[in-house]
Amino acid sequence: TVLTSAFHPSYVPPSATRTIIYQARSRFPVTAEFWENGAQMYIGFGASLNGGRGFNVAAIDGSTGKLVGAIQRFDAWATRWGVTDPMVSQLKRMIDYINSLPNGTVLLIAIGDEAGLNHFDSCAFISPIDNIYVEPALQLLTALGSTQIRQYCYRDQWAMIAVKGQGVLGEALSTVSDASTQATVQLP
């Protein structure tokens, strides 16, 4: 009662929303990195021991700002040819993982070293005869809002931040230097 009388009747308490700045970076030549409010959350180095080669995906709960489990890495380079078995396809694992996440999930995605989408030293995508999951992976990333993934060539750098079910917040593609994108996300 005392607090009620201390405030003007038109007073509205400030919103409890939080602003978080995310960054996804595909660093030339082999590193994938994720950042939150200027602090590094993840770094993966190519095909090394802690491996960052392929697609690196951080899934963040859009209402809490917390990671949804561990950051995932899908080394599709290693399973690029002759893959029809979903148990061995890293692209299939990535598709299933992203599809399992609810709408509203913030996705930070960056390629480290090589994505496994293209023929060696080429811009030509691997055909469905060679790997039946390349086209579905491209379709998934396009459905998330990517407008640049289909311009990706062997060993390019690419990064994207998107909200599943809402669209892309930022995307970058580079052939000779870092590809870095940043997005500001408002959490309730």
Side-chain angles (χ1 to χ4, degrees):
T1 304
V2 173
L3 287 175
T4 310
S5 63
F7 294 96
H8 189 274
S10 64
Y11 173 76
V12 176
S15 172
T17 62
R18 291 186 311 145
T19 301
I20 299 178
I21 300 170
Y22 291 109
Q23 184 177 26
R25 185 183 301 159
S26 177
R27 293 193 67 140
F28 181 80
V30 296
T31 307
E33 301 175 0
F34 300 135
W35 300 75
E36 178 183 78
N37 289 331
Q40 190 173 63
M41 325 169 31
Y42 171 81
I43 185 167
F45 298 99
S48 68
L49 192 56
N50 80 329
R53 180 171 64 188
F55 287 92
N56 297 266
V57 180
I60 299 163
D61 185 306
S63 59
T64 67
K66 305 273 187 213
L67 276 172
V68 178
I71 293 172
Q72 300 292 306
R73 177 179 67 96
F74 305 95
D75 185 358
W77 182 87
T79 59
R80 67 191 319 138
W81 296 287
V83 177
T84 56
D85 182 351
M87 296 306 291
V88 298
S89 175
Q90 294 291 305
L91 287 175
K92 173 68 170 143
R93 284 187 58 242
M94 180 184 74
I95 293 165
D96 291 346
Y97 175 69
I98 292 174
N99 283 337
S100 75
L101 299 168
N103 283 344
T105 301
V106 179
L107 295 168
L108 283 61
I109 307 172
I111 292 173
D113 190 7
E114 217 303 287
L117 298 173
N118 308 91
H119 290 286
F120 182 76
D121 279 343
S122 168
C123 292
F125 288 104
I126 296 171
S127 74
I129 293 168
D130 294 323
N131 188 320
I132 60 174
Y133 301 109
V134 170
E135 183 56 30
L138 292 169
Q139 289 174 2
L140 171 68
L141 295 169
T142 302
L144 289 171
S146 173
T147 60
Q148 299 179 27
I149 192 62
R150 288 189 182 273
Q151 283 76 52
Y152 179 86
C153 297
Y154 184 83
R155 285 236 167 135
D156 279 356
Q157 286 69 54
W158 176 84
M160 180 174 79
I161 300 172
V163 178
K164 186 174 176 191
Q166 297 174 22
V168 72
L169 300 176
E171 183 179 24
L173 173 69
S174 177
T175 59
V176 294
S177 63
D178 297 355
S180 182
T181 187
Q182 181 173 299
T184 301
V185 176
Q186 298 288 331
L187 300 177

